[in-house]
Amino acid sequence: MPLRGCRSRRRRRARGHLVTRVLVTGAAGFIGSRIVALLRGQGIDTLAVDAMIPEAHGRSPAIPDGVTRADVTAVDTMADLLDGVDVVCHQAAMVGMGVTAADAPLYARHNDLGTAAVLAAMHRRGCDRLVLASSMVVYGSGSLRTVDGEPVDQPPARDSAHTDAGDFEYRTRDGRLISWELTGEDAPLRPASLYAASKVAQEHYARAWSVATGGSVVALRYHNVYGPGMPRDTPYAGVASIFRSRLAAGQSPLVFEDGGQMRDFVHVDDVARANCVAIDADTRGFAAVNVCSGQPISIGEVADVLARRVGGPSPVVTGEVRPGDIRHIVADPARARELLGFTARIGPEQGLAEFATAPLRSSAC
């Protein structure tokens, strides 16, 4: 699928300077590599850097052509790379929900320290525009209401008696059903995992840097990203990749709870295009923006689409509830459309059907 969406090479920044050079961190990764391909395909001078961490690339990774290996947590290293750079597109991060609490230092180093170092290097070199890869996980359970329209700040923990009986929805303490609604960028940040805590920290560092320096930040809160080149066979892989791996092995996708968990799945090419648009945007200060398809879909439907497309075994609904799992989180796409002029082009039904047979990336360790 061709990558499209950037404007021409001569692009004017908000402060009257031309964007002639972009540095992309995490450039060998799933999303970063697509951003680099899109920018370079449009003739943008793009410096691609990646730390090649083993959690993402295995223990002895081959460095892709056109990518410079660099430790993004090292301020001096990053400052040296920022010569002539107008915008930093910061994708480098350790992703996924984590395996155990022992993963906390990894998230803190790669995500929190990495972002702080990039910001310090930008300040040193006078680069004042950042596009930051954030995530829907910052919202926790997202925006919720009772069936009679009352907003719910934080849902009570689900009762095991209800989940054991197959009722997985949130309920108020007096038993009223709680329903999901579209989550906008002004929703409270309530991280419920180590990864989520690190993404909130990245945003807070970026916001504070913006206030201190007058720099501009667009934090793109990705929802469930999928597409060709998605990592597989790693405990940090996304659910679509995990379903794909099981189908490739002739096994049924395992769907937790009842499969009714609602999400927004957004294609990686749309995510790359959102970054290109954000690089070009006329923004001031700090702005957070959802990047999503705008077409909610259940986890069970995702598994069904993939299984049907490859003629594999039907998904198995386990009824299992994993601690810390969020029942529903669905994005409001309005701000992306209004602030950036961005609307996703690839819907989940089309995109997932194509993804079912697309090549994945092996992360053999």
Side-chain angles (χ1 to χ4, degrees):
M1 184 178 298
L3 289 165
R4 300 185 301 276
C6 278
R7 284 172 253 176
S8 67
R9 188 176 189 273
R10 294 186 63 79
R11 306 187 307 173
R12 187 160 296 279
R13 281 179 53 186
R15 296 179 182 172
H17 303 289
L18 292 175
V19 175
T20 59
R21 196 172 203 215
V22 178
L23 184 147
V24 180
T25 69
F30 170 44
I31 296 173
S33 61
R34 303 295 279 191
I35 296 169
V36 170
L38 179 53
L39 290 170
R40 288 178 173 169
Q42 295 294 326
I44 305 301
D45 182 8
T46 305
L47 177 59
V49 301
D50 199 296
M52 305 300 294
I53 65 172
E55 292 80 11
H57 301 283
R59 292 200 181 105
S60 300
I63 302 173
D65 291 342
V67 174
T68 297
R69 188 168 192 169
D71 180 1
V72 299
T73 68
V75 177
D76 290 345
T77 298
M78 295 307 299
D80 288 344
L81 292 168
L82 280 168
D83 185 36
V85 168
D86 303 295
V87 183
V88 172
C89 185
H90 184 39
Q91 306 295 311
M94 180 173 165
V95 301
M97 303 309 287
V99 178
T100 71
D103 283 332
L106 291 173
Y107 286 105
R109 172 176 170 74
H110 296 305
N111 300 3
D112 305 359
L113 178 59
T115 299
V118 167
L119 293 169
M122 290 175 67
H123 177 56
R124 182 183 297 181
R125 296 308 297 263
C127 179
D128 63 356
R129 186 165 181 82
L130 175 72
V131 176
L132 174 67
S134 188
S135 171
M136 67 172 190
V137 298
V138 299
Y139 298 123
S141 56
S143 296
L144 302 167
R145 287 186 181 272
T146 64
V147 290
D148 49 0
E150 180 184 337
V152 176
D153 289 335
Q154 184 71 16
R158 290 181 287 183
D159 190 301
S160 60
H162 285 99
T163 56
D164 289 348
D167 179 4
F168 299 98
E169 300 296 342
Y170 294 126
R171 293 185 178 276
T172 63
R173 299 193 186 282
D174 58 5
R176 289 176 294 156
L177 184 67
I178 296 174
S179 300
W180 63 270
E181 62 180 11
L182 297 182
T183 300
E185 292 85 351
D186 294 330
L189 305 186
R190 297 193 183 97
S193 69
L194 298 172
Y195 174 53
S198 74
K199 299 310 284 187
V200 170
Q202 285 184 282
E203 285 200 17
H204 285 171
Y205 276 114
R207 185 189 294 271
W209 171 87
S210 175
V211 171
T213 66
S216 172
V217 178
V218 180
L220 299 176
R221 292 175 178 168
Y222 304 156
H223 284 249
N224 294 77
V225 186
Y226 70 97
M230 192 174 187
R232 67 179 183 187
D233 305 328
T234 162
Y236 306 97
V239 65
S241 173
I242 293 170
F243 288 164
R244 270 286 314 271
S245 293
R246 288 191 62 85
L247 286 165
Q251 301 173 327
S252 294
L254 299 179
V255 179
F256 292 111
E257 301 185 16
D258 60 355
Q261 308 95 304
M262 297 301 296
R263 297 290 189 273
D264 189 303
F265 279 74
V266 59
H267 196 278
V268 66
D269 286 354
D270 278 325
V271 173
R273 190 166 56 84
N275 276 271
C276 185
V277 171
I279 286 167
D280 204 29
D282 181 3
T283 61
R284 300 287 198 280
F286 178 94
V289 180
N290 286 329
V291 177
C292 59
S293 73
Q295 300 180 40
I297 186 172
S298 72
I299 296 295
E301 289 177 287
V302 172
D304 283 337
V305 169
L306 296 175
R308 286 199 312 270
R309 180 66 179 81
V310 300
S314 297
V316 171
V317 177
T318 68
E320 181 182 351
V321 178
R322 295 187 301 176
D325 270 5
I326 301 301
R327 177 61 178 173
H328 306 297
I329 176 67
V330 178
D332 186 341
R335 183 179 292 179
R337 183 173 59 251
E338 294 163 3
L339 183 66
L340 302 180
F342 169 81
T343 301
R345 295 173 177 169
I346 304 169
E349 189 161 337
Q350 170 200 346
L352 287 166
E354 295 173 353
F355 172 68
T357 56
L360 298 183
R361 174 184 310 207
S362 177
S363 294
C365 295

